[in-house]
Amino acid sequence: MLRSLSLSLSLSLAALSAALPATAAPRADAQAPTVILVHGAFADASSWDKVAERLRQRGVPVVAVDNPLSSLGDDVAATRKAIAAAPGKVVLVGHSWGGTVITEAGDDPKVSGLVYVAAFAPDAGQTSAQQGEGFPVAPGLQQLQERDGWLSLSPATLASDFAQDVAPEELRQVEAHQLPLKASALGESVTTAAWKSHPSWYVLSRNDRMLSPELQAATAQRIGAHLRATDAGHVSPLSAPDAVSEAILEASGLPSAQATGDH
């Protein structure tokens, strides 16, 4: 009798388990390209955590590159290594200085699209510094600290200009994960402009105090990008991850989270 009861209970549990919704991590979407996220100056790969989580929830494979920020060439090499390791097509996403990196590294047949997030997008032969000429110098850029050839931001500037729209606990993490940028990198020109041969998207931060919104709007128009704008500061991947993720999904040829009912 006990054996019969045990068998009956096992069958009931199996039936109940089959009826419940799956809670396992979603399988990768077979149609999704690998999204490679390239961080900017004064940050590391963790600045993409919120965006990466949202994309993975949609079954999109994601790689966040750790840039050394020691030169344009070094950062491009790290990004190209990630592109080479991807199994198929790639969507490259660059934030801030990362936009310069993907402009150079994106000249690869595996790359199907580029997404610029409050980012530089120089022309061939142009430097990041030159791209900003003729536009207002944002408040945060006026507060750069230089030491031994490396640029960084003070805690006060991080709070007022870099990540002014994130929660206090997140701001502490931004400060803890800040990486300096070699000043000479801003004077290194790109040799190619991948946006000339690849479809591009641009997520503009209207409240940016590091890269002027005027420069961002002009950049998006110049490269012919699909433009999205969000009421966020410079670190929109942290303060507006939904808007950034939506642009990446669009560039990946996937339906938006709203269209699928995901949040």
Side-chain angles (χ1 to χ4, degrees):
M1 180 176 178
L2 289 175
R3 184 175 180 182
S4 175
L5 180 60
S6 176
L7 178 60
S8 176
L9 181 59
S10 297
L11 292 173
S12 297
L13 288 174
L16 178 61
S17 177
L20 290 174
T23 56
R27 291 180 297 177
D29 188 326
Q31 303 301 315
T34 298
V35 171
I36 296 179
L37 305 169
V38 182
H39 67 79
F42 320 124
D44 65 10
S46 69
S47 61
W48 288 112
D49 282 356
K50 287 185 175 183
V51 172
E53 178 186 5
R54 283 159 172 76
L55 295 175
R56 290 185 180 119
Q57 287 175 350
R58 291 293 313 282
V60 178
V62 179
V63 175
V65 177
D66 279 308
N67 290 330
L69 301 179
S70 48
S71 71
L72 175 59
D74 290 345
D75 288 359
V76 168
T79 301
R80 283 178 172 161
K81 184 176 180 180
I83 295 171
K89 291 296 183 180
V90 163
V91 168
L92 275 185
V93 186
H95 175 237
S96 191
W97 158 255
T100 299
V101 178
I102 69 170
T103 295
E104 179 81 6
D107 187 27
D108 187 293
K110 292 178 72 173
V111 175
S112 61
L114 306 165
V115 182
Y116 292 86
V117 182
F120 293 103
D123 203 345
Q126 189 179 42
T127 70
S128 300
Q130 288 172 334
Q131 196 199 325
E133 293 174 355
F135 293 93
V137 180
L141 286 185
Q142 299 177 38
Q143 304 299 323
L144 293 177
Q145 300 180 144
E146 189 273 334
R147 181 176 181 180
D148 298 328
W150 293 81
L151 301 174
S152 64
L153 299 174
S154 70
T157 303
L158 287 172
S160 63
D161 301 311
F162 187 74
Q164 72 271 25
D165 54 349
V166 303
E169 60 272 17
E170 284 186 296
L171 180 59
R172 286 190 287 271
Q173 290 301 309
V174 169
E175 183 176 350
H177 288 272
Q178 180 184 182
L179 293 178
L181 173 71
K182 194 69 176 290
S184 57
L186 295 173
E188 294 181 60
S189 60
V190 298
T191 61
T192 185
W195 47 263
K196 290 185 175 180
S197 56
H198 294 76
S200 301
W201 283 255
Y202 200 105
V203 184
L204 183 153
S205 289
R206 294 192 184 98
N207 300 324
D208 202 316
R209 293 176 60 82
M210 292 298 301
L211 201 62
S212 74
E214 296 92 337
L215 172 58
Q216 294 182 45
T219 299
Q221 182 177 25
R222 175 172 54 83
I223 69 175
H226 304 275
L227 178 63
R228 287 173 174 258
T230 181
D231 292 324
H234 189 60
V235 291
S236 54
L238 289 174
S239 61
D242 288 334
V244 175
S245 300
E246 287 295 303
I248 296 172
L249 287 172
E250 183 178 323
S252 301
L254 299 172
S256 69
Q258 285 83 357
T260 60
D262 295 336
H263 298 285

